[in-house]
Amino acid sequence: MMRAGPSQEEIRKHNLGTLLRHVHLGGPTSRAELTSLMGLNRSTIMALTADLTAAGLVREELPKDTGRAGRPSLVVRPETARVYVLAFEVGVDRLAAARIGLGGVILDRREAVRARGPFDMAQVVGTLAGFARQMRRRTREDTICVGAAAAVSGVVRASDGVVRIGPNIGAFEVPLGEELTKRLALGLPVAVGNEANLGALAEHTRGIGAGCRDLIYLHGDVGIGGGIIVNGQLLGGYGGYGGEVGHMVVNPDGRPCACGSRGCLEAEVGEPALMEHAGRYGEMIGRDAVRAVVDAADRGDVMAQEALAHVGNWLGLGVATLVNVFNPEMVVFGGILREIYLGSAAQVRSRIATGTLRATREQVRLRTSALGDDATLMGAAELAFAQVLADPLEALSRVAPAPFGG
Amino acid sequence: MMRAGPSQEEIRKHNLGTLLRHVHLGGPTSRAELTSLMGLNRSTIMALTADLTAAGLVREELPKDTGRAGRPSLVVRPETARVYVLAFEVGVDRLAAARIGLGGVILDRREAVRARGPFDMAQVVGTLAGFARQMRRRTREDTICVGAAAAVSGVVRASDGVVRIGPNIGAFEVPLGEELTKRLALGLPVAVGNEANLGALAEHTRGIGAGCRDLIYLHGDVGIGGGIIVNGQLLGGYGGYGGEVGHMVVNPDGRPCACGSRGCLEAEVGEPALMEHAGRYGEMIGRDAVRAVVDAADRGDVMAQEALAHVGNWLGLGVATLVNVFNPEMVVFGGILREIYLGSAAQVRSRIATGTLRATREQVRLRTSALGDDATLMGAAELAFAQVLADPLEALSRVAPAPFGG
């Protein structure tokens, strides 16, 4: 803001990254479209594409069929099969890993059940490193891993990947990023982020919120997390811990919360609250348990209906506060909140209607996650791709000293 | 983000604006400092300064005393006495206007008491236009008005300056921007903004929060408004209505609010709530009334102490939610909230300590407004200066067809 405009070299880097981001998010794109999207002339687009092609990040080819006369514009495709990242998830009930190609395509994935209880570093890192080994063993020789990142149910310090606190995975000041980096030994650091923040990133870049510049993503995974996109950017806050909407106090006289407070959104709306109100606490856990309550309510089970109405009331109160504070274009419900919202939409909508100013709510759309269970893994992949999208050639030179075709 | 890098002309515009912003916010600055601050070479700084000087926006002069040997670097000063904006405030209890020079110096000001009650457009616009006329009559011939803006206690649509709703000034869908533009007849539009948003802007640019990139400003003016700075930018949201923290529900079973909801932060913490709890409702109004309660509490008045503790508890709960959601570097209390916070800091701090995650609160600082009663007027001035700071020469050409010295 207060610095001078960019240098020529910075502009080239920005343009390379921008072109790569276009094909990463939009898929195969013709040179003509890129020219118009980026507001640059044809020869600049050709030069940028040539640089990215030489680096092995994109490939140019003739379009299948243009349906138009004349010489068709070449199509620029991401090198999805060659250039990939590793994405991990440490959820409350699962450990997951995926190999995701440039362009956001899941090429391979692994998943294991995580038992609830204290955080077991050896088990978590061992399982994920094992998945990574299996998946990398199955890749072709000429593939290249350009990044790795993990989504975690907890409050994460971005700079070093320490999980400051993750009440629902029993984690407290856990150096997950460091351990994953050590055990994976990819020659690049493993970034760590909060699962709801990364879910927000995924839904914003290639999910239901693509194109929205102001979006709130609420993620349920036993507890409740939030990821907030403000003017196209993920809200970080001063220390990077922003978006902890699960610990907004919605009911000052409410249920005790794992964080030590009382009446937090997570305490009133999370899985344990729903299960207790439905008289099913201890029967089942996880998404299946929540789904069972919603199904029972659909079939006319009065106790399940009342439980959903009860938690939906608090969910609506929390969303109303967020709508007044952020005036978002969209609120997205993901994880188990997808089911809870679908089972209590009437209460949520009613609370928003009565608890917000007309101006802040009149344009908001309420939606469920488009990426479903993959949202957090896809978000971790976006975090892992961040370096190569910011400065493609520099990032690549660090992971592949001898570039393809070079 | 997804566009190509800027053109040479855009870079020049950006650099001109950035240099002007430096002297506007930082005061007289030497060419040497500008070179280092902006990361440009000396000849570019000289050329930019020459353009701004020719336009009459800045002036170069020898520094008073450098205390160093050798030829001193020329100092670039904003043309504070020549280039000004008109800033207005439509508060609950006052109508105010100021003529504020480039550099943020109040050159002249006027103020009148506003009677509480329904919004009276003729009275509001008539009073403010009268103030503007008086102040402009006293300016020198060669001065130039480069912008005008008003801060209003209400929810404002930025595009046309309509006050969508201002419960505490009795306004509903009031076309204030249009009427002010018409009556002032300055040849430029009068921008309108929410008073708390503009207070946030002022405290962020030249108040207690200068240098903070993540700041929450809470403004009390009978009701409560908020202005939130996220990563250095004012949070607008999709329609520009973000920051309505006064209508977060902190007490679901609480007091009815003028917005139609119940238990909003403003209903629990605003002036009427404090006065009722203190047993003084109807005695006095406005800042003096609030001050009287705080003074009484200081002198040992138990009812006043309990009233402050009570509202401080709800204020703390609201701030705790904002800390969890935004992880701000600073929370600033302005308007009558300055007094209320000072009289209830123990409750506010205690609620934050118990109602937030350690990670989100550990670095937050709680402060009172540095600009005091001028915060909203100063913020309106920043809004009014926005055009000339974004594109100095273009903005000036619109208001002054024949530039100074041209």
Side-chain angles (χ1 to χ4, degrees):
Chain A
M1 184 61 182
M2 294 292 279
R3 294 283 297 176
S7 68
Q8 288 303 306
E9 184 48 35
E10 285 167 333
I11 291 176
R12 175 165 170 271
K13 190 166 82 181
H14 171 88
N15 286 348
L16 283 168
T18 301
L19 198 159
L20 189 59
R21 187 179 290 272
H22 272 297
V23 300
H24 171 61
L25 295 180
T29 311
S30 75
R31 280 198 200 158
E33 286 171 277
L34 289 167
T35 304
S36 126
L37 283 166
M38 293 180 60
L40 292 171
N41 59 40
R42 285 177 61 90
S43 61
T44 308
I45 293 292
M46 262 180 69
L48 295 169
T49 306
D51 284 351
L52 294 174
T53 303
L57 291 166
V58 303
R59 174 163 40 105
E60 289 186 287
E61 55 187 35
L62 282 169
K64 295 261 155 31
D65 181 15
T66 66
R68 284 194 295 177
R71 201 172 59 150
S73 182
L74 285 174
V75 164
V76 184
R77 294 182 166 274
E79 281 281 14
T80 301
R82 275 176 137 179
V83 180
Y84 70 89
V85 295
L86 293 175
F88 303 101
E89 181 181 326
V90 182
V92 179
D93 295 322
R94 74 171 188 179
L95 297 171
R99 194 165 72 81
I100 298 182
L102 191 65
V105 179
I106 298 182
L107 303 168
D108 197 353
R109 77 179 282 165
R110 300 284 189 277
E111 191 170 322
V113 170
R114 181 189 171 277
R116 293 191 182 179
F119 189 81
D120 179 342
M121 181 74 94
Q123 186 229 348
V124 168
V125 174
T127 304
L128 296 180
F131 287 162
R133 245 189 336 270
Q134 291 166 27
M135 293 192 296
R136 296 197 79 197
R137 215 179 285 142
R138 293 183 54 196
T139 60
R140 292 191 333 232
E141 280 260 317
D142 66 346
T143 57
I144 183 165
C145 177
V146 296
V152 179
S153 167
V155 177
V156 177
R157 181 164 60 217
S159 58
D160 59 2
V162 165
V163 182
R164 299 289 310 275
I165 183 167
N168 300 312
I169 56 167
F172 185 69
E173 302 289 347
V174 165
L176 181 64
E178 193 185 317
E179 286 298 314
L180 276 174
T181 299
K182 212 185 294 171
R183 282 291 296 275
L184 287 170
L186 297 167
L188 40 80
V190 181
V192 182
N194 169 272
E195 61 177 351
N197 278 344
L198 295 175
L201 199 60
E203 293 291 346
H204 168 63
T205 50
R206 54 176 82 247
I208 190 78
C212 287
R213 295 191 66 77
D214 293 281
L215 172 151
I216 293 172
Y217 173 78
L218 299 175
H219 186 80
D221 182 11
V222 182
I224 290 171
I228 298 167
I229 306 286
V230 172
N231 198 20
Q233 299 290 321
L234 190 62
L235 171 73
Y238 186 53
Y241 304 119
E244 283 299 333
V245 301
H247 300 283
M248 303 193 303
V249 175
V250 290
N251 183 9
D253 301 320
R255 297 164 58 96
C257 182
C259 78
S261 185
R262 183 176 278 281
C264 296
L265 183 65
E266 149 161 343
E268 299 296 338
V269 180
E271 182 192 314
L274 179 68
M275 289 300 139
E276 271 188 40
H277 291 306
R280 293 167 177 240
Y281 190 79
E283 279 179 26
M284 292 164 74
I285 57 166
R287 183 177 294 252
D288 292 341
V290 172
R291 230 169 239 155
V293 175
V294 177
D295 288 347
D298 275 346
R299 288 192 313 268
D301 179 326
V302 174
M303 207 162 166
Q305 286 170 346
E306 284 177 358
L308 280 164
H310 192 88
V311 302
N313 180 51
W314 295 119
L315 178 59
L317 196 76
V319 173
T321 282
L322 293 171
V323 166
N324 270 332
V325 171
F326 288 98
N327 182 209
E329 183 175 356
M330 187 181 283
V331 179
V332 181
F333 300 91
I336 60 163
L337 270 189
R338 186 177 179 281
E339 275 73 35
I340 291 176
Y341 168 70
L342 289 174
S344 65
Q347 283 75 27
V348 174
R349 290 183 178 275
S350 153
R351 267 294 192 179
I352 294 173
T354 57
T356 59
L357 300 177
R358 172 177 294 276
T360 61
R361 78 168 171 266
E362 63 194 355
Q363 295 181 298
V364 72
R365 287 176 288 160
L366 308 183
R367 293 288 184 274
T368 55
S369 162
L371 302 170
D373 287 353
D374 287 333
T376 46
L377 273 176
M378 294 296 281
E382 291 306 317
L383 177 59
F385 276 121
Q387 281 300 316
V388 81
L389 293 172
D391 191 351
L393 306 187
E394 213 278 319
L396 210 63
S397 74
R398 263 182 289 134
V399 292
F404 307 120
Chain B
M1 184 60 182
M2 294 292 280
R3 293 283 297 176
S7 68
Q8 288 303 306
E9 183 49 34
E10 284 167 335
I11 291 176
R12 174 165 171 272
K13 189 167 82 182
H14 172 87
N15 287 347
L16 284 168
T18 302
L19 198 159
L20 189 59
R21 187 179 290 272
H22 272 296
V23 300
H24 172 60
L25 295 180
T29 311
S30 75
R31 279 198 201 158
E33 287 171 276
L34 289 167
T35 304
S36 126
L37 282 167
M38 292 180 61
L40 291 172
N41 59 41
R42 285 177 59 90
S43 62
T44 307
I45 294 291
M46 262 180 68
L48 294 169
T49 307
D51 284 351
L52 293 175
T53 303
L57 290 165
V58 303
R59 172 163 42 106
E60 288 186 286
E61 55 187 35
L62 282 168
K64 296 261 153 36
D65 181 16
T66 67
R68 284 194 295 178
R71 201 171 59 149
S73 181
L74 285 176
V75 164
V76 183
R77 295 182 165 275
E79 282 281 15
T80 300
R82 274 176 139 178
V83 179
Y84 71 89
V85 295
L86 294 175
F88 302 101
E89 181 183 327
V90 181
V92 179
D93 296 322
R94 73 171 187 179
L95 297 171
R99 194 166 71 83
I100 298 183
L102 191 65
V105 179
I106 298 182
L107 303 168
D108 197 353
R109 78 179 281 167
R110 299 285 188 278
E111 192 171 321
V113 171
R114 180 189 171 278
R116 294 192 181 180
F119 189 83
D120 179 343
M121 180 75 93
Q123 186 229 347
V124 168
V125 174
T127 304
L128 296 180
F131 287 162
R133 244 188 338 268
Q134 291 166 27
M135 293 192 296
R136 298 198 78 198
R137 214 178 286 140
R138 294 184 53 197
T139 60
R140 294 190 331 233
E141 280 260 319
D142 65 346
T143 57
I144 181 166
C145 178
V146 296
V152 179
S153 167
V155 177
V156 177
R157 181 164 61 216
S159 58
D160 59 3
V162 165
V163 182
R164 300 289 309 276
I165 183 167
N168 299 312
I169 57 167
F172 184 69
E173 302 289 347
V174 166
L176 182 63
E178 192 185 318
E179 286 298 313
L180 276 175
T181 300
K182 212 184 295 172
R183 282 292 296 275
L184 286 171
L186 297 166
L188 39 80
V190 182
V192 182
N194 170 272
E195 63 178 348
N197 279 344
L198 295 175
L201 198 61
E203 293 292 346
H204 168 62
T205 50
R206 54 176 84 246
I208 190 79
C212 287
R213 295 190 66 77
D214 293 281
L215 173 152
I216 293 172
Y217 174 79
L218 299 175
H219 186 80
D221 182 11
V222 183
I224 290 171
I228 298 168
I229 306 285
V230 172
N231 197 22
Q233 299 290 322
L234 190 63
L235 170 73
Y238 186 53
Y241 304 119
E244 282 298 333
V245 301
H247 300 284
M248 301 193 303
V249 175
V250 291
N251 183 9
D253 301 319
R255 298 163 58 95
C257 182
C259 78
S261 185
R262 182 176 280 280
C264 296
L265 183 64
E266 147 162 344
E268 299 295 337
V269 181
E271 182 192 313
L274 180 69
M275 290 300 140
E276 269 188 41
H277 290 307
R280 294 166 176 241
Y281 191 78
E283 280 179 23
M284 293 164 72
I285 57 167
R287 183 178 293 251
D288 291 341
V290 173
R291 230 170 238 155
V293 175
V294 177
D295 288 348
D298 275 347
R299 288 193 312 268
D301 179 326
V302 174
M303 207 160 167
Q305 286 170 344
E306 285 176 357
L308 280 164
H310 192 89
V311 301
N313 180 52
W314 295 119
L315 178 58
L317 196 76
V319 173
T321 282
L322 293 172
V323 167
N324 271 332
V325 171
F326 287 98
N327 182 210
E329 183 176 358
M330 187 180 283
V331 179
V332 181
F333 300 91
I336 61 163
L337 269 189
R338 186 177 180 280
E339 275 74 32
I340 291 175
Y341 168 70
L342 290 172
S344 65
Q347 282 75 27
V348 173
R349 290 183 177 275
S350 153
R351 267 295 192 177
I352 294 173
T354 57
T356 59
L357 300 177
R358 173 177 294 276
T360 61
R361 78 168 170 266
E362 64 194 355
Q363 295 181 297
V364 72
R365 288 176 287 161
L366 308 183
R367 294 288 184 272
T368 54
S369 162
L371 302 170
D373 286 353
D374 288 333
T376 45
L377 273 177
M378 294 296 281
E382 291 306 317
L383 177 59
F385 276 121
Q387 281 300 317
V388 82
L389 294 172
D391 190 351
L393 306 188
E394 212 279 320
L396 210 63
S397 74
R398 262 182 291 134
V399 292
F404 306 120

Short mmCIF file of all heavy atoms in Angstrom, two decimals, chain A residues 273-295:
data_model
loop_
_atom_site.label_atom_id
_atom_site.label_comp_id
_atom_site.label_asym_id
_atom_site.label_seq_id
_atom_site.Cartn_x
_atom_site.Cartn_y
_atom_site.Cartn_z
N ALA A 273 -23.87 -31.99 21.83
CA ALA A 273 -25.12 -31.31 22.18
C ALA A 273 -26.29 -31.94 21.42
O ALA A 273 -27.34 -32.25 22.01
CB ALA A 273 -25.02 -29.81 21.86
N LEU A 274 -26.11 -32.15 20.13
CA LEU A 274 -27.18 -32.72 19.33
C LEU A 274 -27.54 -34.12 19.84
O LEU A 274 -28.73 -34.46 19.99
CB LEU A 274 -26.76 -32.79 17.86
CG LEU A 274 -27.81 -33.40 16.92
CD1 LEU A 274 -29.03 -32.48 16.78
CD2 LEU A 274 -27.21 -33.70 15.54
N MET A 275 -26.52 -34.92 20.12
CA MET A 275 -26.76 -36.30 20.56
C MET A 275 -27.49 -36.33 21.90
O MET A 275 -28.40 -37.13 22.11
CB MET A 275 -25.43 -37.05 20.67
CG MET A 275 -24.79 -37.35 19.33
SD MET A 275 -25.89 -38.38 18.34
CE MET A 275 -25.69 -37.63 16.77
N GLU A 276 -27.09 -35.45 22.80
CA GLU A 276 -27.76 -35.40 24.10
C GLU A 276 -29.23 -35.00 23.97
O GLU A 276 -30.11 -35.63 24.53
CB GLU A 276 -27.05 -34.43 25.04
CG GLU A 276 -25.95 -35.12 25.84
CD GLU A 276 -25.39 -34.17 26.89
OE1 GLU A 276 -26.18 -33.42 27.53
OE2 GLU A 276 -24.17 -34.19 27.05
N HIS A 277 -29.47 -33.91 23.21
CA HIS A 277 -30.85 -33.45 23.05
C HIS A 277 -31.70 -34.54 22.38
O HIS A 277 -32.89 -34.65 22.64
CB HIS A 277 -30.90 -32.17 22.21
CG HIS A 277 -30.34 -30.98 22.92
ND1 HIS A 277 -30.75 -30.59 24.16
CD2 HIS A 277 -29.38 -30.09 22.56
CE1 HIS A 277 -30.08 -29.50 24.53
NE2 HIS A 277 -29.23 -29.18 23.58
N ALA A 278 -31.07 -35.35 21.52
CA ALA A 278 -31.82 -36.40 20.82
C ALA A 278 -31.94 -37.67 21.64
O ALA A 278 -32.52 -38.66 21.18
CB ALA A 278 -31.15 -36.68 19.47
N GLY A 279 -31.34 -37.65 22.86
CA GLY A 279 -31.40 -38.84 23.72
C GLY A 279 -30.59 -40.00 23.17
O GLY A 279 -30.90 -41.16 23.41
N ARG A 280 -29.53 -39.68 22.42
CA ARG A 280 -28.75 -40.74 21.78
C ARG A 280 -27.28 -40.68 22.16
O ARG A 280 -26.44 -41.27 21.47
CB ARG A 280 -28.84 -40.59 20.26
CG ARG A 280 -30.22 -40.86 19.71
CD ARG A 280 -30.31 -40.37 18.27
NE ARG A 280 -31.62 -40.70 17.71
CZ ARG A 280 -31.79 -41.46 16.65
NH1 ARG A 280 -30.78 -41.99 16.01
NH2 ARG A 280 -33.01 -41.72 16.21
N TYR A 281 -26.94 -39.93 23.19
CA TYR A 281 -25.52 -39.75 23.51
C TYR A 281 -24.87 -41.09 23.82
O TYR A 281 -25.38 -41.88 24.59
CB TYR A 281 -25.35 -38.81 24.71
CG TYR A 281 -23.92 -38.40 24.92
CD1 TYR A 281 -23.35 -37.40 24.12
CD2 TYR A 281 -23.12 -39.02 25.88
CE1 TYR A 281 -22.04 -37.02 24.29
CE2 TYR A 281 -21.80 -38.64 26.04
CZ TYR A 281 -21.27 -37.65 25.25
OH TYR A 281 -19.95 -37.28 25.42
N GLY A 282 -23.72 -41.35 23.18
CA GLY A 282 -22.99 -42.59 23.42
C GLY A 282 -23.35 -43.73 22.49
O GLY A 282 -22.64 -44.73 22.43
N GLU A 283 -24.44 -43.58 21.73
CA GLU A 283 -24.86 -44.66 20.83
C GLU A 283 -23.91 -44.82 19.65
O GLU A 283 -23.39 -45.90 19.37
CB GLU A 283 -26.26 -44.37 20.28
CG GLU A 283 -27.38 -44.74 21.23
CD GLU A 283 -28.73 -44.40 20.62
OE1 GLU A 283 -28.85 -44.37 19.38
OE2 GLU A 283 -29.67 -44.15 21.40
N MET A 284 -23.74 -43.72 18.92
CA MET A 284 -22.87 -43.71 17.75
C MET A 284 -22.09 -42.40 17.82
O MET A 284 -22.42 -41.51 18.59
CB MET A 284 -23.69 -43.66 16.46
CG MET A 284 -24.50 -44.88 16.14
SD MET A 284 -25.73 -44.48 14.87
CE MET A 284 -24.71 -44.36 13.39
N ILE A 285 -21.05 -42.28 16.98
CA ILE A 285 -20.35 -41.00 16.91
C ILE A 285 -20.13 -40.60 15.46
O ILE A 285 -20.30 -41.40 14.54
CB ILE A 285 -18.97 -41.03 17.63
CG1 ILE A 285 -18.09 -42.15 17.06
CG2 ILE A 285 -19.15 -41.16 19.14
CD1 ILE A 285 -16.63 -42.02 17.48
N GLY A 286 -19.74 -39.34 15.30
CA GLY A 286 -19.32 -38.87 13.99
C GLY A 286 -20.47 -38.55 13.05
O GLY A 286 -21.63 -38.42 13.45
N ARG A 287 -20.12 -38.44 11.79
CA ARG A 287 -21.08 -38.03 10.79
C ARG A 287 -22.28 -38.99 10.71
O ARG A 287 -23.41 -38.56 10.52
CB ARG A 287 -20.39 -37.94 9.42
CG ARG A 287 -21.29 -37.44 8.32
CD ARG A 287 -20.52 -37.31 7.04
NE ARG A 287 -19.53 -36.27 7.14
CZ ARG A 287 -19.63 -35.09 6.52
NH1 ARG A 287 -20.65 -34.82 5.75
NH2 ARG A 287 -18.69 -34.19 6.66
N ASP A 288 -22.01 -40.27 10.86
CA ASP A 288 -23.10 -41.25 10.79
C ASP A 288 -24.12 -41.01 11.90
O ASP A 288 -25.32 -41.15 11.70
CB ASP A 288 -22.55 -42.68 10.90
CG ASP A 288 -21.75 -43.06 9.66
OD1 ASP A 288 -21.92 -42.39 8.62
OD2 ASP A 288 -20.92 -43.98 9.76
N ALA A 289 -23.62 -40.65 13.07
CA ALA A 289 -24.51 -40.40 14.20
C ALA A 289 -25.40 -39.20 13.92
O ALA A 289 -26.62 -39.23 14.15
CB ALA A 289 -23.68 -40.17 15.47
N VAL A 290 -24.77 -38.12 13.39
CA VAL A 290 -25.54 -36.91 13.08
C VAL A 290 -26.56 -37.20 11.99
O VAL A 290 -27.73 -36.80 12.08
CB VAL A 290 -24.58 -35.78 12.65
CG1 VAL A 290 -25.35 -34.56 12.15
CG2 VAL A 290 -23.67 -35.38 13.82
N ARG A 291 -26.14 -37.94 10.98
CA ARG A 291 -27.03 -38.30 9.88
C ARG A 291 -28.23 -39.10 10.40
O ARG A 291 -29.36 -38.91 9.95
CB ARG A 291 -26.25 -39.13 8.86
CG ARG A 291 -26.42 -38.64 7.45
CD ARG A 291 -25.44 -39.30 6.52
NE ARG A 291 -24.59 -38.34 5.85
CZ ARG A 291 -23.37 -38.61 5.37
NH1 ARG A 291 -22.85 -39.82 5.52
NH2 ARG A 291 -22.68 -37.68 4.76
N ALA A 292 -27.95 -39.97 11.35
CA ALA A 292 -29.03 -40.81 11.90
C ALA A 292 -30.10 -39.94 12.57
O ALA A 292 -31.30 -40.21 12.46
CB ALA A 292 -28.47 -41.83 12.88
N VAL A 293 -29.66 -38.88 13.25
CA VAL A 293 -30.63 -37.99 13.89
C VAL A 293 -31.46 -37.26 12.84
O VAL A 293 -32.70 -37.17 12.94
CB VAL A 293 -29.92 -36.96 14.81
CG1 VAL A 293 -30.93 -35.96 15.37
CG2 VAL A 293 -29.18 -37.67 15.94
N VAL A 294 -30.80 -36.77 11.80
CA VAL A 294 -31.51 -36.04 10.75
C VAL A 294 -32.50 -36.98 10.05
O VAL A 294 -33.65 -36.62 9.79
CB VAL A 294 -30.53 -35.42 9.74
CG1 VAL A 294 -31.28 -34.73 8.59
CG2 VAL A 294 -29.62 -34.41 10.44
N ASP A 295 -32.06 -38.22 9.78
CA ASP A 295 -32.95 -39.20 9.14
C ASP A 295 -34.15 -39.50 10.03
O ASP A 295 -35.29 -39.57 9.56
CB ASP A 295 -32.19 -40.51 8.85
CG ASP A 295 -31.19 -40.35 7.71
OD1 ASP A 295 -31.27 -39.32 7.00
OD2 ASP A 295 -30.32 -41.23 7.55
#
